[in-house]
Amino acid sequence: AQTVTQSQPEMSVQEAETVTLSCTYDTSESNYYLFWYKQPPSRQMILVIRQEAYKQQNATENRFSVNFQKAAKSFSLKISDSQLGDTAMYFCAFMRLSGTYKYIFGTGTRLKVLA
Amino acid sequence: EPEVTQTPSHQVTQMGQEVILRCVPISNHLYFYWYRQILGQKVEFLVSFYNNEISEKSEIFDDQFSVERPDGSNFTLKIRSTKLEDSAMYFCASTKKKISQGATGNTIYFGEGSWLTVV
């Protein structure tokens, strides 16, 4: 069975600074996707960034980038130039490319950006 | 951009009552899901639905729960005889027919959630 672990329940960062959120996972699958989702106070699930496991190049999306270490089963999210609107819960998620494509979520990291 | 829509956004119900949560997935999607998030906890998979039948369900999805797609557009989650511990945000999600390595647009789209409070 797959598991996703986020070891940082809460983090804070000064506005305009950079912060890195950690995520590790465990799987025996070789083909899978990894995701970071943002959940603001409205509780909507917003896709931040996606990484295909077969790609060695780390995904980037504007101020958001990942450090994907497949051998170490690590998938961290870096937020550059943090903004007040980045304050939210961030969930790491794993999806295998077989079966029903369900997500396995981590427990989340609550990020607070300080003015 | 197409989106998954859910109704109601918030429902309060008496313990023991039946609740139906409704979802309209994105029109060309064929895989549908329900997830649950108890306040302060992680998002948990409940059930996936494909080709008009359940393709996978979690241990949470017991006989109290059922899903159906009655008219080809709506995707519903029914909770019979609600309990206090059913209070949670319920997310509907959908994705395209087949997710494969390298294909573009492979992601699951979430609705904005239905917040259920059982009192």
Side-chain angles (χ1 to χ4, degrees):
Chain A
Q2 293 82 22
T3 59
V4 178
T5 302
Q6 294 180 249
S7 58
Q8 305 153 313
E10 291 187 6
M11 295 189 72
S12 60
V13 62
Q14 288 293 134
E15 195 175 8
E17 296 295 306
T18 295
V19 64
T20 299
L21 309 183
S22 300
C23 173
T24 59
Y25 60 95
D26 189 25
T27 184
S28 58
E29 303 275 340
S30 56
N31 293 324
Y32 51 89
Y33 280 12
L34 295 163
F35 302 83
W36 279 98
Y37 275 86
K38 170 184 177 181
Q39 189 179 46
S42 67
R43 303 196 71 189
Q44 184 179 0
M45 296 292 284
I46 301 168
L47 177 65
V48 174
I49 199 165
R50 176 184 67 214
Q51 175 78 42
E52 291 108 332
Y54 77 96
K55 287 186 176 179
Q56 293 186 347
Q57 185 175 7
N58 289 325
T60 62
E61 195 72 41
N62 299 316
R63 298 184 294 107
F64 299 89
S65 61
V66 298
N67 183 5
F68 174 49
Q69 302 290 326
K70 190 172 184 179
K73 296 179 181 175
S74 170
F75 182 61
S76 61
L77 173 70
K78 185 171 81 170
I79 306 174
S80 304
D81 186 25
S82 297
Q83 300 174 359
L84 296 177
D86 296 333
T87 294
M89 195 75 163
Y90 287 80
F91 290 98
C92 178
F94 169 98
M95 182 178 73
R96 64 185 184 194
L97 293 186
S98 61
T100 56
Y101 315 127
K102 71 179 183 184
Y103 280 156
I104 304 296
F105 285 92
T107 51
T109 296
R110 186 173 303 280
L111 176 68
K112 187 170 185 179
V113 180
L114 307 171
Chain B
E1 184 175 332
E3 57 183 23
V4 176
T5 57
Q6 289 186 240
T7 55
S9 56
H10 189 197
Q11 182 165 351
V12 180
T13 190
Q14 293 281 338
M15 191 168 53
Q17 295 296 305
E18 177 181 282
V19 165
I20 297 176
L21 305 179
R22 292 182 169 80
C23 170
V24 179
I26 296 173
S27 61
N28 63 344
H29 287 188
L30 295 176
Y31 280 90
F32 312 113
Y33 308 84
W34 284 100
Y35 288 81
R36 180 183 80 175
Q37 186 183 29
I38 294 172
L39 186 64
Q41 298 187 21
K42 68 178 178 179
V43 180
E44 300 173 291
F45 170 77
L46 288 178
V47 65
S48 60
F49 191 86
Y50 173 69
N51 200 26
N52 287 318
E53 61 183 17
I54 291 173
S55 47
E56 187 175 353
K57 60 182 181 179
S58 71
E59 61 276 9
I60 302 169
F61 194 89
D62 58 21
D63 292 343
Q64 182 192 9
F65 296 90
S66 63
V67 290
E68 64 176 2
R69 196 154 184 252
D71 57 8
S73 61
N74 290 288
F75 178 51
T76 63
L77 173 68
K78 181 187 291 185
I79 310 174
R80 286 181 283 274
S81 187
T82 50
K83 299 175 284 197
L84 295 176
E85 54 265 37
D86 294 327
S87 295
M89 179 74 98
Y90 289 82
F91 290 102
C92 176
S94 70
T95 193
K96 290 181 180 178
K97 176 181 178 182
K98 185 171 177 63
I99 296 177
S100 58
Q101 183 169 294
T104 59
N106 287 343
T107 192
I108 292 180
Y109 293 83
F110 284 86
E112 295 191 351
S114 293
W115 178 234
L116 175 65
T117 302
V118 182
V119 296

